[in-house]
Structures are given as C-alpha cells and as structure tokens.
Amino acid sequence: MKDFLGRLGIREMNSGACNGAWLDTKGEDLVSFCPADGQPIATVRQATEDDYEAVVRAAHEAFLEWRMLPAPKRGEIVRQMGLALREKKEDLGRLVSYEMGKILSEGLGEVQEAIDIADFAVGLSRQLYGLTMHSERPLHRMYEQWHPLGVVGIVSAFNFPVAVWAWNAMIAAVCGDTMIWKPSSQTPLCAIATQNVMNEVLDRNGFPGVMALVLGRGSTVGERMIQDRRIPLVSATGSCRMGRRIGEVVANRLGRTILELGGNNAILVDETADLDMALRAILFGAVGTAGQRCTSTRRIFVHRKVHAELVKKLVAAYGSVSIGDPLDPKTLMGPLVNEAAVETMEQAIAEAVREGGKVLAGGKRKKGPGFFVEPTLIEARPDMKIVREETFAPILYVFPYDDLDRAIAWHNGVDQGLSSAIFTRDLLHAETFLSHRGSDCGIANVNIGTSGAEIGGAFGGEKDTGGGREAGSDSWKAYMRRQTCTINWGKELPLAQGVKFDLE
Ligand code: UN1
C-alpha cells in the first residue's frame, strides 16, 4: 500500500460508517479502484440500514449538545479543522488524485478549497447576523434570529470528493448543525480519510459525533436518509437525475433541500476577445479534471470573425495535452473515473457524429490499462440533441455565431443553468451578458472561464441545476432556521394593522 494511505488511516479493509467512532458495519464490500490503472486500492465494508440508524441517532444526540456551544466557539473548532487539513493537504490531495483521477495540482487545489471554506466559516461564526425591524406598534421591538437546524444530510459526488463536502460541512458546523455524509461510492477512501482528519479534531474537543459518515448504496441508505424526517435539510451535489429523486422525496415530507446539479456550461468568445486568454480558459474548463466538473466548459460560441483562428489554436492545443498518470507532475489530463464514463463519452461522440457533428480533435479512448480518453473537440450546431445534454467527459462543442443576442439565446437554450462566461474587451457585450437579458446561469463571468470558482461566492445554478447555493456569501442561511421575534416592552397590547378586539 502507498504510504500516504496509511498516514490517512486507510487500511486494506475499512468500516463504512462513523458516528463518532467507526462502526463494525455489516453491509456488502465495496472495492475502490484507481482509475489510472484499474487496480484495487482498498475495500470498504458498507453500512446497512441498521448502521444508518445508529448513525442518525448519534448525530441527533450530538446536535443537542453542539447547538448549545456558542457559534464562535464552534468556529474555533472549525479553525482547528482548517489547520488539520493544512497538515494533511499533501497526503489528502494525493489520495484525491489516486482514487478519483484528477491531476495532483487539482487534487491539492481541492484540499485547498476545503481549507478556504474552513477559514471562511471561522469568520462567519461571528457573523450569523439577523436583521432588526421597526415595529409599527409603540414600545415594541422586532428582530430576527437564526437558530441551528438539526442533522443535515450531505450527498456528494465523486468529482469533488473532499471540497464539496467541506463547503457544506464547515458551514453547517458553525451554524450549530450536525451532519451525516453520504459520499459517492466511487470515492469512498477520500471520504474515510477526510473523516479521520475531522475525527481527530472533534475528539480532541469533546464533540465526536458532529460529523458522521455513511457509505452505502443510494438505493438503501441513501433512500433511508432522504425519507428520514429527522433530517430537516438534505444538501445534494450530483446529477440532475439524482437531484430530481432527492428533491421529490424531500419535498414530499416538506423538508428542505439544497440541490447543486448538472451544468451545460458555455463560453462566448466575441470578435474583440483576447484569444490567447480565451484559449487558456477554454482548455482549463474543458480539459481540466478530464471534463468532470459540474462547471466544466461543454460548449463554446465563437464570433465568426475569430472562429477559424480560435479553432485552429484549439486543435493544436488539444493535440499537445499530456494524458497519463495523474500523479505525474507533467500530466495535464488524467483518466475518467470508470469504464462506464468512457462508454458514455464514446456514445456521446457517436451520437454527435450521427447528428452531423464533425470531430476536429481527439475522439478516441486510449489503449492500455486505466480509463483514459482523448479530449475531444466537435464542430456542432446548437439544434443538435446531444449538445443539450451534460456528458461528464472532456467533449467540447464549438459553434460559430454572428449576432450576440442570438448566441445568448442559444447559450440559454439548454435545461441546465450553472456556470457561464464571456470573453470580450467590449464593455457593452460584457454588460449585456451580465444583464437580466444575458446569461441565465447561477454563475456568470467575464474574461474568466466557467470552472474554478472561489469559495467566497454562493455556488449553484438555476433551472435543472436545482436552484441551491452552497459555500460562500449568505448560503449559510439555508443551514439555519429563521425566527422572527416581536417583544412588547410596554403596558398596553396594541394589535397590528389597527385591529380592535376589546371586551366591552
Ligand atoms: C463541482 O464540480 O461539483 O468551480 C464543483 C469549480 C470548483 C467546484 C466544482 N471550485 O470548478
């Protein structure tokens, strides 16, 4: 076994549930494979529904204590989590690369993202502000306050196996919530390792049950969790299909969700754009993380005046992307996560060609072990069916345009609405794109690509992306319950709206 696995507490056989202590789980074995060579890394004995029950009970008990700790004191413990993540950054980043397949620089960046949100949450722990209002009644005072919500369910995807959990977990923790994490079954070891790092901090501070973990099938423990009325909020990051199911089930019990689902992100490049800058952003957006970010660039609309030149640059760049071992510092693109992802990509390319698309670069899988593919550039038409779908792979569809409003209409003409960007040096074009008749996405950038957002902003999108917001800004409000309080400090009982209700 690799050294860093041992340092992160990963063994040959691991428990799949933790509620302050690792449980003796009794579920089916789950083997985690390295996508770069297809070899097994370690095994996890998954949680059963009984294990889930033990976890949810402990999380609820932990909540009763955790909510009583003043928020800045909770922040102090989260500060220690940020330090622990800093200490483990190298090992954890390496594990992310090894188990998920993104290149090391991105694996380290992912842990940095978790550190950043921890730092953000520490400050936030002293800023969980409510408003005060002027009462219409004399000698009355009104204000609102924010209380902890309860046990939060966190469902995360394979592509950001540490950071997306951290967005939710660090914020939920300072808000006074405890939580149960249901990570992707593709990346169980990243979850176990992260849990180990957190356990050390939580144990030291006498709050072992604040962050819990359950690894098991979506169809068993996942379903239990979303149907569980003891979980007032489920925050889920993943596919639209998964989000639709979670949204439906949680809404049916009138619970809350934060949904951060698929994207079909596009970049517009106008006739005034700095093409070299656009090229770099497109390459990082479409090829980075092997196209497996929810923010990955999947479509580009290029003004006809610069279309040929940019496409030429892109074809050259696509041909020189180094593909291989994600832990090798020279590699720019690692493997896809598994065989199914490769097949989905192949099907999408075949479908695009059937619909009249033309492959300009890439298009094939790589021979040999592991799930390697070539980044693929396809000349397409906006009315093609396949370009409206999110294929979680490095496929980029290119379209020429003549008229900006038309391009924006095409841009918005898909079901998803996560991230978007325009490359331009024209103020009018930039502002049009950012205006209410511009991009309809949750994230809209100028001269920056679609992926690689900072944690300080609220992260999420509209339409089929689910409408939820995670991470920075005031996303914390979704993790708390709001209470409006009116206090009468006078000796009369005036009613609002001038209503009289007196006994004669
Ligand atoms: C995701 O793919 O689910 O903006 C999250 C980005 C990263 C987060 C992506 N900071 O690309």
Side-chain angles (χ1 to χ4, degrees):
M1 272 195 136
K2 303 234 176 202
D3 287 356
F4 61 85
L5 295 174
R7 288 198 294 273
L8 293 166
I10 305 293
R11 294 190 269 264
E12 298 281 348
M13 176 62 81
N14 302 273
S15 162
C18 180
N19 64 1
W22 290 104
L23 305 186
D24 180 16
T25 41
K26 297 275 190 287
E28 287 165 37
D29 285 354
L30 171 74
V31 180
S32 174
F33 292 91
C34 168
D37 58 17
Q39 293 301 308
I41 307 173
T43 304
V44 179
R45 184 146 296 152
Q46 296 183 98
T48 59
E49 294 192 34
D50 286 346
D51 296 323
Y52 168 79
E53 189 56 34
V55 168
V56 80
R57 283 196 187 167
H60 194 259
E61 265 169 44
F63 172 64
L64 301 181
E65 284 187 35
W66 184 242
R67 67 177 177 178
M68 297 311 292
L69 191 69
K73 296 269 186 321
R74 299 193 291 255
E76 162 53 24
I77 298 175
V78 169
R79 188 184 68 81
Q80 296 172 37
M81 291 175 177
L83 292 179
L85 285 166
R86 281 175 169 87
E87 272 170 35
K88 292 283 196 259
K89 180 173 169 182
E90 187 68 36
D91 284 341
L92 209 45
R94 217 161 258 281
L95 173 60
V96 169
S97 287
Y98 190 45
E99 190 183 34
M100 181 274 162
K102 63 176 73 174
I103 60 169
L104 183 57
S105 170
E106 293 190 67
L108 294 170
E110 159 137 23
V111 182
Q112 186 58 47
E113 193 159 344
I115 294 167
D116 292 345
I117 195 74
D119 289 0
F120 178 91
V122 177
L124 182 65
S125 72
R126 292 181 185 268
Q127 300 176 75
L128 301 168
Y129 301 139
L131 298 171
T132 63
M133 300 90 188
H134 286 267
S135 170
E136 66 189 50
R137 289 170 277 189
L139 309 186
H140 280 56
R141 184 166 77 78
M142 276 174 85
Y143 77 110
E144 61 185 22
Q145 55 181 351
W146 295 86
H147 289 308
L149 193 60
V151 183
V152 175
I154 304 172
V155 178
S156 65
F158 78 89
N159 64 335
F160 274 81
V162 176
V164 168
W165 169 80
W167 290 351
N168 287 282
M170 300 302 162
I171 301 295
V174 296
C175 288
D177 300 328
T178 58
M179 62 211 78
I180 302 177
W181 182 11
K182 156 85 180 71
S184 159
S185 301
Q186 292 294 326
T187 49
L189 305 178
C190 288
I192 291 172
T194 306
Q195 182 71 38
N196 278 330
V197 177
M198 295 300 118
N199 281 351
E200 207 184 303
V201 177
L202 288 167
D203 285 348
R204 194 195 315 141
N205 287 278
F207 287 96
V210 170
M211 292 168 170
L213 173 68
V214 177
L215 266 155
R217 289 242 208 92
S219 57
T220 57
V221 297
E223 281 292 320
R224 271 294 285 272
M225 185 164 104
I226 61 179
Q227 283 167 10
D228 195 335
R229 293 182 65 88
R230 293 167 294 184
I231 301 203
L233 167 68
V234 177
S235 175
T237 306
S239 67
C240 293
R241 197 178 60 82
M242 173 216 73
R244 220 167 250 125
R245 172 74 191 153
I246 294 179
E248 198 179 288
V249 172
V250 179
N252 195 41
R253 63 175 171 87
L254 300 179
R256 289 194 208 169
T257 48
I258 299 174
L259 299 176
E260 195 265 282
L261 312 174
N264 192 349
N265 318 297
I267 296 181
L268 269 64
V269 182
D270 82 357
E271 62 279 28
T272 70
D274 177 333
L275 289 191
D276 288 324
M277 196 156 97
L279 175 75
R280 289 184 54 204
I282 293 166
L283 209 58
F284 176 60
V287 175
T289 333
Q292 299 173 108
R293 291 190 188 217
C294 56
T295 51
S296 289
T297 310
R298 311 215 175 275
R299 301 175 295 148
I300 55 171
F301 297 92
V302 187
H303 193 277
R304 206 174 294 277
K305 277 194 191 145
V306 291
H307 179 263
E309 188 184 347
L310 185 63
V311 166
K312 199 166 144 227
K313 284 177 191 277
L314 274 168
V315 170
Y318 267 57
S320 55
V321 170
S322 48
I323 304 165
D325 178 4
L327 289 168
D328 179 340
K330 289 196 286 293
T331 302
L332 264 196
M333 194 180 102
L336 290 181
V337 69
N338 56 23
E339 181 60 32
V342 176
E343 283 164 18
T344 304
M345 176 169 176
E346 287 176 328
Q347 280 159 16
I349 295 170
E351 179 58 33
V353 171
R354 206 170 312 132
E355 287 190 76
K358 192 171 143 213
V359 176
L360 302 176
K364 290 190 283 298
R365 87 176 286 166
K366 299 280 247 187
K367 293 216 164 43
F371 310 117
F372 293 96
V373 294
E374 293 170 348
T376 299
L377 191 64
I378 298 180
E379 194 177 83
R381 291 184 325 273
D383 63 339
M384 281 164 51
K385 207 170 137 278
I386 190 71
V387 307
R388 303 168 51 84
E389 285 171 26
E390 178 192 45
T391 304
F392 229 55
I395 302 176
L396 180 66
Y397 301 108
V398 192
F399 318 91
Y401 79 86
D402 297 294
D403 171 63
L404 185 65
D405 287 335
R406 187 82 199 103
I408 291 174
W410 283 332
H411 171 278
N412 292 345
V414 293
D415 293 334
Q416 310 85 345
L418 180 56
S419 187
S420 60
I422 187 168
F423 276 77
T424 180
R425 283 186 280 212
D426 183 315
L427 180 68
L428 268 61
H429 290 176
E431 292 293 340
T432 301
F433 187 73
L434 298 177
S435 76
H436 46 267
R437 64 182 176 91
S439 162
D440 63 359
C441 292
I443 298 170
N445 297 332
V446 176
N447 294 333
I448 295 180
T450 57
S451 65
E454 302 174 19
I455 57 91
F459 186 94
E462 304 303 329
K463 304 191 290 186
D464 284 9
T465 303
R469 293 295 186 276
E470 296 170 297
S473 185
D474 65 350
S475 306
W476 62 271
K477 289 179 176 169
Y479 301 79
M480 302 196 85
R481 63 184 171 87
R482 184 197 309 239
Q483 190 166 61
T484 303
C485 307
T486 309
I487 298 151
N488 176 2
W489 56 282
K491 293 190 174 132
E492 308 292 326
L493 188 73
L495 300 179
Q497 297 92 39
V499 173
K500 294 278 175 247
F501 200 81
D502 295 321
L503 289 174
E504 284 309 316

